Amino acid sequence: MTRWLAKISLRMRSLFHRRTADGELDTELRFHLERQIAANVSAGMSQAEARRAAMREFGGVEQLKEECRDMRDTNYIHDFLHDLRFGLRMLRKSPGFTAVAILTLALGIGANTAIFGVIDSLLLRPLPVENPSQLTVLAFRQGNGPLLTQFSIADFRDLCSQTAGSFSDMMGFQLGFDGLSLEGKADRALTAYVSGNFFSMLDLKAHLGRLILPSEGETPGADPVIVLSYSYWKAHLGSDQRIIGKKILVNGRPNTVVGVAPQGFYGLYPAPGVEAYLPLAMVSSDEPGWPSDVMVNRILQNLYVVGRLRPGATLQSAGAALNVVARRLSTQYPESNKGMTVSVYSERFARPDPGTAGTLMKVAALFLTLVAMVLLLACANIANLLLVRATGREREMAVRAALGAGRNRLVRQMLTESILLALLGGLAGLLLGLWGGRAIASIDLHQAVEVHLYSGFDWRIFAYSFAAALLTGVLVGMVPALRVSRAHIGAALHESGRSIAAGKNRFRSGLVVLQVAGSLMLLVIAGLFARSLVAVQHSNLGFDPQNVVELTMDPTEVGLNETQGLAFYNSVLARINALPGVQSAALTSTVPMGNYGSNDYVKVSDYQNPAGQGLPLVFYGVISARFFETMHIPILRGRSFTEGDVSGSPYVAIVSQAFANRFWPKQNPIGKHFAKVSGATNPLYEVVGVAKDARFSGLTGPIGPFFYLPLAQNYALGTLQTLQIRSAAAPDAVIREAQGVVRSLAPDLPLFSIQTMEEGLDTLNGFLLFQLGAGFAAALGLLGLILAMVGVYGVISYSTSQRTHEIGIRVALGAQQSEILRMILRQGFLIVAMGLIVGSVAAFAFARVISNFLVGVSPADPATYLIVTIVLGLVALLACYIPARRAIRVDPTVALRYE
Amino acid sequence: MSKPTDLVQGTLDLLILRTLTHEPMHGWGIAQRIQIVSNQVLQVRQGALYPALHRLEQQGWIRAEWGDSENNRRAKFYSLTKAGQKYLQREKANWERLSSAIGLVLDEARS
């Protein structure tokens, strides 16, 4: 006990009374020396002899003192504070260097912070709910089928009620688009129909009013309430505090606003974010667009299921409990549930859903690698700058070493300086990164849905930036620190300032080779992504998106019934088709790469469904007569729809090639029959035509089966139809005229997603991810290019400035300017060429690893490599040329007098 | 007189603590005492002595006080603390165990 008190008081003393302690040390050692001299004298030496002998025996007094001071545990604090002060002084002394270094680091760390911020928001951050780590996501397979993430409502209820041992609660929700209209202002929003316990299970508190109650959503149609998301309420309703109690029409039916969800809660995933919540049971009964048996029909699978694990329950035990229920369901309902196995995932590792989480993590890892390379390029620049400074400080270090500073101490001082620099750069980078993150968040993606790529600052972002800065500091400081501390004291003290040996330049040139190589890699990756984007945009989509504009609407929202709606559509089409310049116009319920589309299970005649597999799920479009003409999709066999395919005439359908080949291979599909299963009535459709395949979703892989139904026979209330107009006229003019036509027929009808069809393909399901990927990669490539060029410029201009003397002699001896120029350019060319070769090899190796993300372009694409190499080579030579120009203008008399 | 032997690493602490059991001493005195008691075999260098003293002090095994020396000069006197006495006993036992073990091995090798 007393020992600890003594220790603490000693440390306090050495911390706060350092001078006293040092004085005492001095006295103590001097006392020893005097005793030794006295002893020597009494042994018979003369006074001077005795002193010399004692001193010799003693060795270096200052070193010994430093060793004694090191025994105090608090010494490192003193050293650190001292180094810190000294470091700050050094940085202040050369503001130019400091500014360039901090700016470079800020770019590198800022880019990392911004990219990490996006990944953090999308993948790493726990949901803003109570105990998010307990949340799990369910998925299932039937037989060897694909992993499905949407359950039927009936299956959800069974799974929920029979696994209470493992799950303290389980909720379900389904996502879709609905027309929302408040006081005549209509809008379309992504809605979630949630089981009543959705909010109570997440333990969320309403921002305003209340959330949906566990008791709501049991009885079909009984609870016409709606909860708005914070961001929808803010953006579309101007944060109206008196919104509670007002009625919002959802697809024309009144629902009472009961509350606003908390800020920052976007549903279970931020892209796309949910804009409004309704009770699950509101989807059923007489809601338009929903089959009447949605609550009990096990084939209708559209519910995402999320469970909260009980404390102590594991994913394994929960999975086992779920599969007991799944086995029971598959024997009890073989028609819908045969071979069902349920799997359960931790929510954080199943974003956006268990099936695609792996891919998203790979994309995240890819971009973190790319942006880490940018930081590495920045590090190389700083290391280069520090090396130059270190060379100039060799004498200073030698003097320090002579005065008793140990090697570790010198390394520590150099590292303190570089880490200080890195942390300052890191701070600037953090601010830059936060700004960058906010800039990314504010990019208008022109999406019909909310996409929250960035959810603001949190400690993870701070920790990441801090770690990056610290690592940078150690990395860039290590090389010069070791180099200086190794320097020979005597040599450094004797040599003049002009002591920079060729070896050091070789190391610096090596760094630049790496920079050029790294920059080439980044640019090649960016180039390959850009080529992928071009490839998918120009791949054969099966339809022609050029010169087409789109307007989306639902006449149900202004109260039109089926007859009125059809009449309205017919008049719109007739008048627009009559407009000058319009080649054709048509309506469709499913647009390619759109955010919504219709799909259903089909029963196909003359086709034997494989045993143990559920019915095939097929996407389809409900279209008007001139759709194929408008989209430039050729009819291969049979006929297109005509004005004669109306209600009352035989039910007809047109199938895609892939549909015909899958269900009726080597047979004539014309005249065959099939039916959907989930409609209110499910008539048997007769195939009257086969259309060429067109991509409605997914940009790669084989095109799936698809079928088309005529709008006049399949009009559904509450369904959005997109009007597509092909016209040679300017898109703006066509849109204006079309809006005029619609307004003259239905003045209050809201129109959504007014855009050209090419814009409409830039969605999360379409080109958007490719565009984001290519954009990010290009930004990083550009940053890398700038950093590498700064490196090349720095090294060449430094080495030419070191050679001023030599160049002066050469000029004096009659060397031509062009010879000098060639000499310097050759040096630069050598470095750049080596960088290009190393970079090409590295880029190819890296591109091979990420070839899964490339579409329509080989990882060894010669054009990309060639263009990038040429561009990089030219820019690099330009960076060499500027200092070379300066060198040849050297006046030999000045150069020779120099130094 | 044979050449002074360098001290085995770690035994210096033990020697210093043992030397201080009698009375408080200053650094020079400690070095002299060790040299005399060991019949001039063990010679403690200053370069090792003072860092060791400071380390032992920092660890709380010994305590330092300023006092007047034999020739009336101010000197720093070190004395053993209670914790230091216990530590010495422990280390001494360890040392004896170690040296007797080494002795056993050497004797066995000789026979």
Side-chain angles (χ1 to χ4, degrees):
Chain A
M1 193 60 204
T2 46
R3 182 181 159 222
W4 290 110
L5 281 177
K7 281 176 85 167
I8 289 169
S9 85
L10 269 173
R11 274 157 191 65
M12 288 297 156
R13 193 173 125 88
S14 45
L15 256 184
F16 299 111
H17 301 281
R18 190 182 163 94
R19 198 153 297 162
T20 325
D22 282 353
E24 288 178 358
L25 179 61
D26 197 50
T27 315
E28 185 180 15
L29 294 181
R30 194 159 345 110
F31 172 77
H32 185 106
L33 196 63
E34 279 164 12
R35 289 304 300 262
Q36 188 64 48
I37 294 169
N40 287 353
V41 168
S42 59
M45 293 185 193
S46 75
Q47 184 70 32
E49 219 179 327
R51 170 165 289 272
R52 231 181 356 258
M55 291 290 268
R56 197 163 49 237
E57 200 185 329
F58 221 92
V61 181
E62 290 306 316
Q63 274 104 329
L64 178 56
K65 276 191 193 169
E66 187 61 22
E67 257 185 81
C68 287
R69 275 187 225 116
D70 278 342
M71 291 304 153
R72 306 176 192 158
D73 290 348
T74 50
N75 213 30
Y76 66 94
I77 298 181
H78 275 293
D79 289 349
F80 174 70
L81 290 176
H82 179 263
D83 289 347
L84 203 63
R85 265 200 304 275
F86 187 78
L88 281 172
R89 207 156 52 217
M90 289 300 283
L91 294 183
R92 232 191 357 251
K93 232 177 72 186
S94 39
F97 161 79
T98 308
V100 169
I102 289 182
L103 188 70
T104 309
L105 281 174
L107 284 178
I109 292 176
N112 273 275
T113 305
I115 297 278
F116 180 80
V118 172
I119 290 169
D120 176 44
S121 301
L122 293 184
L123 286 181
L124 304 179
R125 203 173 293 201
L127 285 173
V129 304
E130 196 65 23
N131 287 326
S133 60
Q134 295 173 343
L135 293 185
T136 58
V137 177
L138 272 53
F140 73 100
R141 259 178 231 283
Q142 279 182 271
N144 295 322
L147 191 71
L148 302 172
T149 50
Q150 287 160 279
F151 293 75
S152 69
I153 294 176
D155 284 352
F156 156 65
R157 296 215 156 135
D158 287 337
L159 288 170
C160 178
S161 62
Q162 295 171 38
T163 55
S166 298
F167 294 95
S168 59
D169 208 349
M170 192 184 285
M171 55 89 159
F173 64 98
Q174 64 179 48
L175 297 175
F177 285 93
D178 283 312
L180 300 189
S181 137
L182 175 71
E183 290 159 3
K185 247 181 64 191
D187 210 342
R188 199 198 39 171
L190 182 68
T191 55
Y193 286 81
V194 303
S195 59
N197 59 347
F198 181 89
F199 288 108
S200 63
M201 174 174 138
L202 299 176
D203 201 15
L204 290 171
K205 304 277 169 292
H207 175 78
L208 205 65
R210 67 166 175 88
L211 300 170
I212 289 169
L213 303 174
S215 58
E216 288 169 329
E218 289 300 314
T219 322
D223 306 291
V225 297
I226 183 167
V227 169
L228 303 171
S229 83
Y230 180 89
S231 51
Y232 183 86
W233 173 67
K234 193 175 166 203
H236 296 259
L237 303 170
S239 303
D240 181 2
Q241 297 289 331
R242 289 164 304 159
I243 188 74
I244 308 299
K246 289 193 182 162
K247 295 254 189 294
I248 281 186
L249 297 181
V250 180
N251 300 330
R253 282 154 194 281
N255 281 47
T256 308
V257 178
V258 292
V260 174
Q263 190 175 2
F265 180 72
Y266 310 120
L268 278 239
Y269 197 68
V274 174
E275 296 170 291
Y277 303 85
L278 295 109
L280 180 59
M282 295 306 291
V283 303
S284 76
S285 71
D286 54 348
E287 274 287 298
W290 292 104
S292 53
D293 59 349
V294 63
M295 301 302 265
V296 290
N297 189 335
R298 290 179 193 268
I299 282 181
L300 299 176
Q301 297 161 342
N302 43 26
L303 202 68
Y304 297 95
V305 176
V306 176
R308 188 186 275 288
L309 283 182
R310 276 191 191 287
T314 62
L315 288 177
Q316 282 81 3
S317 68
L322 287 166
N323 277 309
V324 172
V325 185
R327 264 195 299 281
R328 197 153 52 223
L329 290 176
S330 50
T331 32
Q332 209 170 343
Y333 309 102
E335 189 146 313
S336 52
N337 294 56
K338 189 161 183 178
M340 182 189 199
T341 50
V342 180
S343 38
V344 56
Y345 304 85
S346 173
E347 185 275 330
R348 268 176 84 186
F349 302 108
R351 296 181 185 175
D353 64 70
T356 46
T359 313
L360 199 61
M361 281 183 196
K362 277 184 207 145
V363 173
L366 166 66
F367 276 97
L368 281 181
T369 312
L370 291 181
V371 79
M373 272 185 62
V374 171
L375 182 57
L376 219 58
L377 295 185
C379 281
N381 272 348
I382 309 288
N384 251 334
L385 286 173
L386 283 177
L387 267 177
V388 172
R389 274 164 60 89
T391 324
R393 285 172 70 183
E394 267 176 7
R395 282 164 73 93
E396 175 205 331
M397 291 297 152
V399 170
R400 282 167 183 275
L403 289 178
R407 182 167 174 221
N408 283 342
R409 187 72 187 71
L410 285 182
V411 171
R412 215 156 59 204
Q413 186 203 323
M414 296 286 283
L415 278 183
T416 307
E417 284 181 47
S418 65
I419 290 173
L420 181 66
L421 191 65
L423 288 183
L424 286 176
L427 187 67
L430 187 66
L431 296 176
L432 194 67
L434 293 182
W435 174 83
R438 210 152 300 145
I440 291 174
S442 67
I443 297 172
D444 186 359
L445 298 171
H446 299 288
Q447 294 301 295
V449 291
E450 283 182 20
V451 178
H452 303 277
L453 288 183
Y454 186 74
S455 319
F457 184 65
D458 76 345
W459 65 266
R460 275 179 205 80
I461 298 179
F462 176 77
Y464 186 83
S465 311
F466 185 74
L470 210 60
L471 196 69
T472 303
V474 174
L475 215 60
V476 303
M478 214 46 166
V479 178
L482 289 180
R483 199 170 266 280
V484 159
S485 69
R486 240 191 343 246
H488 194 267
I489 297 178
L493 282 177
H494 284 116
E495 264 178 66
S496 72
R498 191 159 37 114
S499 64
I500 306 99
K504 272 154 211 163
N505 269 344
R506 233 189 344 263
F507 184 82
R508 299 190 54 210
S509 302
L511 277 181
V512 175
V513 168
L514 282 184
Q515 278 187 303
V516 172
S519 161
L520 182 101
M521 250 176 100
L522 285 173
L523 286 172
V524 164
I525 301 304
L528 290 176
F529 275 142
R531 299 259 299 166
S532 293
L533 175 63
V534 173
V536 291
Q537 278 172 337
H538 290 86
S539 65
N540 188 8
L541 297 168
F543 55 88
D544 175 11
Q546 284 174 9
N547 301 323
V548 176
V549 299
E550 299 179 334
L551 304 90
T552 300
M553 65 199 89
D554 175 12
T556 317
E557 290 181 13
V558 287
L560 301 191
N561 64 22
E562 180 172 340
T563 324
Q564 294 164 325
L566 269 176
F568 162 77
Y569 279 143
N570 284 336
S571 325
V572 168
L573 286 175
R575 288 174 63 171
I576 285 181
N577 273 315
L579 288 174
V582 170
Q583 288 156 18
S584 68
L587 289 157
T588 174
S589 66
T590 302
V591 286
M593 317 303 161
N595 288 310
Y596 42 91
S598 325
N599 61 11
D600 204 346
Y601 298 91
V602 288
K603 287 182 180 155
V604 182
S605 52
D606 299 334
Y607 170 73
Q608 188 56 51
N609 203 38
Q613 273 188 25
L615 292 172
L617 186 67
V618 182
F619 279 84
Y620 67 94
V622 177
I623 59 172
S624 70
R626 296 178 71 183
F627 173 79
F628 295 105
E629 190 187 336
T630 310
M631 282 290 94
H632 288 177
I633 299 174
I635 298 292
L636 300 174
R637 304 175 83 152
R639 65 170 175 91
S640 179
F641 295 135
T642 66
E643 313 292 339
D645 296 315
V646 292
S647 179
S649 67
Y651 284 106
V652 290
I654 291 171
V655 298
S656 72
Q657 258 174 303
F659 189 105
N661 290 341
R662 169 153 176 207
F663 298 116
W664 304 299
K666 298 187 186 103
Q667 298 170 53
N668 182 4
I670 306 294
K672 301 267 187 197
H673 294 86
F674 70 94
K676 299 193 292 145
V677 301
S678 62
T681 59
N682 290 310
L684 208 57
Y685 300 108
E686 182 177 326
V687 176
V688 294
V690 178
K692 196 153 187 266
D693 280 332
R695 285 196 183 277
F696 278 82
S697 64
L699 293 165
T700 57
I703 301 178
F706 197 90
F707 62 91
Y708 305 88
L709 303 174
L711 177 62
Q713 292 180 343
N714 297 274
Y715 190 90
L717 288 170
T719 311
L720 293 162
Q721 287 282 335
T722 299
L723 176 63
Q724 295 184 309
I725 307 164
R726 178 173 292 283
S727 166
D732 289 349
V734 182
I735 286 172
R736 242 188 340 269
E737 286 184 85
Q739 281 174 314
V741 168
V742 171
R743 209 167 297 133
S744 70
L745 291 164
D748 297 328
L749 183 65
L751 295 169
F752 315 109
S753 304
I754 302 166
Q755 58 199 358
T756 68
M757 189 171 182
E758 285 176 306
E759 286 167 351
L761 299 178
D762 299 339
T763 61
L764 277 177
N765 301 325
F767 300 145
L768 184 66
L769 292 181
F770 284 90
Q771 284 167 328
L772 285 177
F776 278 145
L780 295 181
L782 195 67
L783 210 53
L785 179 70
I786 294 170
L787 290 172
M789 288 317 110
V790 170
V792 171
Y793 175 82
V795 158
I796 297 298
S797 66
Y798 181 75
S799 89
T800 34
S801 78
Q802 291 300 317
R803 291 168 76 181
T804 311
H805 192 72
E806 175 204 330
I807 293 168
I809 294 174
R810 282 174 188 267
V811 173
L813 291 177
Q816 294 295 310
Q817 285 202 339
S818 59
E819 289 176 67
I820 304 285
L821 190 65
R822 221 175 304 136
M823 179 183 85
I824 294 166
L825 283 184
R826 196 185 309 127
Q827 182 201 1
F829 181 77
L830 217 67
I831 296 176
V832 172
M834 269 169 71
L836 292 179
I837 293 168
V838 174
S840 297
V841 175
F844 177 64
F846 193 65
R848 285 273 304 272
V849 174
I850 60 155
S851 58
N852 279 346
F853 298 117
L854 302 176
V855 180
V857 58
S858 136
D861 181 50
T864 307
Y865 284 76
L866 199 67
I867 293 169
V868 167
T869 306
I870 290 172
V871 168
L872 189 57
L874 285 179
V875 177
L877 283 183
L878 187 71
C880 298
Y881 182 72
I882 298 168
R885 282 286 299 180
R886 204 164 33 210
I888 60 172
R889 290 214 200 91
V890 162
D891 180 348
T893 51
V894 174
L896 287 175
R897 234 181 275 132
Y898 182 74
E899 287 178 8
Chain B
M1 191 176 83
S2 60
K3 239 182 122 197
T5 316
D6 275 335
L7 280 168
V8 184
Q9 191 84 38
T11 50
L12 179 59
D13 286 6
L14 196 58
L15 294 183
I16 292 171
L17 292 173
R18 177 72 186 87
T19 310
L20 288 176
T21 45
H22 307 294
E23 52 180 340
M25 295 179 86
H26 48 66
W28 197 75
I30 295 171
Q32 292 301 309
R33 173 71 66 91
I34 291 176
Q35 203 167 339
I36 290 164
V37 170
S38 69
N39 284 333
Q40 310 292 331
V41 174
L42 298 173
Q43 192 171 11
V44 185
R45 292 171 200 281
Q46 291 87 323
L49 176 66
Y50 284 95
L53 283 171
H54 282 250
R55 186 175 59 244
L56 290 170
E57 185 192 2
Q58 288 290 331
Q59 283 170 350
W61 305 136
I62 59 177
R63 173 173 51 231
E65 267 153 346
W66 287 89
D68 289 335
S69 74
E70 309 87 77
N71 56 357
N72 281 333
R73 296 291 302 268
R74 257 169 68 76
K76 201 174 177 188
F77 284 86
Y78 293 95
S79 59
L80 214 54
T81 61
K82 233 178 217 148
Q85 281 166 8
K86 277 185 211 146
Y87 177 70
L88 172 62
Q89 244 125 60
R90 221 165 40 237
E91 287 302 294
K92 206 174 151 207
N94 275 344
W95 173 257
E96 276 156 8
R97 210 158 43 89
L98 184 70
S99 63
S100 73
I102 291 174
L104 280 175
V105 174
L106 292 177
D107 286 347
E108 200 253 1
R110 198 179 296 146
S111 62

